[in-house]
């Protein structure tokens, strides 16, 4: 069966659960069985309809007798933290993407070929060597370029 959208009356958290789980599922933030079905008109294709979000929180969450401001604040705090973590992870991935990669195995486990070995290379191959010297050594497959 397709998942349904539920919300927590105490903190306003919105979740996707399978219909038979609604009665047993606890709110991720409050750790309580406070979940209720989100009325059809607020449901978007995944969670809430973007344009209905404000109305949803005002009418169904904040005006609910079980609404708990401290739970709401805690949920916001959690969300901020997970946003920050996601941002950190994304920038770490971006940094990874900028790293030079091995053209054969695409490993980022590379070693810059040291100046000493370039000197040796030049000494061995003369002028040809200076043209041919490599910048990177792949620690994974051993390829040099
Ligand atoms: Zn909650
Ligand atoms: Zn490699």
């Amino acid at each position: 069966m397709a998942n349904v959208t539920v919300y927590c009356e105490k903190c306003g958290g919105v979740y996707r659960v399978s219909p038979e789980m609604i009665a047993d599922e606890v709110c991720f933030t409050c750790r309580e069985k406070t979940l209720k079905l989100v009325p059809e008109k607020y449901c978007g294709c995944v969670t809430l309809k973007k344009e209905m979000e404000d109305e949803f929180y005002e009418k169904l969450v904040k005006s609910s007798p079980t609404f708990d401001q401290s739970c709401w604040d805690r949920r916001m705090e959690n969300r901020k933290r997970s946003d920050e973590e996601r941002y950190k992870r994304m920038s770490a991935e971006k940094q990874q993407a900028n790293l030079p990669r091995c053209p054969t195995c695409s490993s980022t486990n590379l070693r810059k070929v040291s100046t000493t070995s370039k000197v040796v290379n030049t000494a061995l191959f003369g002028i040809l060597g200076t043209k041919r010297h490599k910048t990177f050594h792949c620690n994974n497959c051993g390829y040099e370029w």
Side-chain angles (χ1 to χ4, degrees):
M1 228 192 282
N3 282 357
V4 292
T5 310
V6 294
Y7 70 101
C8 169
E9 283 186 306
K10 285 184 82 176
C11 70
V14 173
Y15 309 97
R16 295 284 288 173
V17 298
S18 58
E20 64 269 28
M21 294 293 281
I22 298 175
D24 299 316
E25 200 71 66
V26 294
C27 169
F28 193 72
T29 308
C30 311
R31 303 277 167 210
E32 281 181 55
K33 292 183 184 178
T34 46
L35 301 181
K36 289 184 84 175
L37 258 182
V38 174
E40 193 67 41
K41 70 166 187 167
Y42 297 107
C43 292
C45 49
V46 182
T47 53
L48 299 173
K49 270 197 192 117
K50 266 271 169 276
E51 67 273 22
M52 298 296 268
E53 247 175 49
D54 291 343
E55 189 187 315
F56 170 80
Y57 287 121
E58 283 310 317
K59 285 195 177 168
L60 277 95
V61 180
K62 290 186 172 172
S63 58
S64 158
T66 43
F67 174 68
D68 188 328
Q69 184 67 45
S70 64
C71 292
W72 172 279
D73 291 342
R74 196 167 43 192
R75 185 173 66 85
M76 287 301 171
E77 191 54 42
N78 284 345
R79 198 160 85 169
K80 212 177 93 192
R81 207 173 319 136
S82 70
D83 277 355
E84 276 165 12
E85 273 164 23
R86 190 166 1 151
Y87 178 76
K88 257 188 244 161
R89 206 168 46 229
M90 263 167 55
S91 43
E93 273 169 19
K94 219 166 161 185
Q95 224 165 30
Q96 269 262 309
N98 286 337
L99 285 175
R101 276 169 195 276
C102 171
T104 40
C105 70
S106 70
S107 165
T108 51
N109 182 11
L110 307 174
R111 173 166 59 85
K112 261 206 147 122
V113 175
S114 67
T115 328
T116 335
S117 67
K118 270 185 193 170
V119 170
V120 173
N121 203 22
T122 313
L124 285 175
F125 298 102
I127 196 80
L128 197 68
T130 54
K131 272 184 191 163
R132 287 181 54 197
H133 71 214
K134 316 285 202 300
T135 321
F136 291 106
H137 171 90
C138 174
N139 291 327
N140 190 44
C141 70
Y143 183 75
E144 287 187 343
W145 70 100

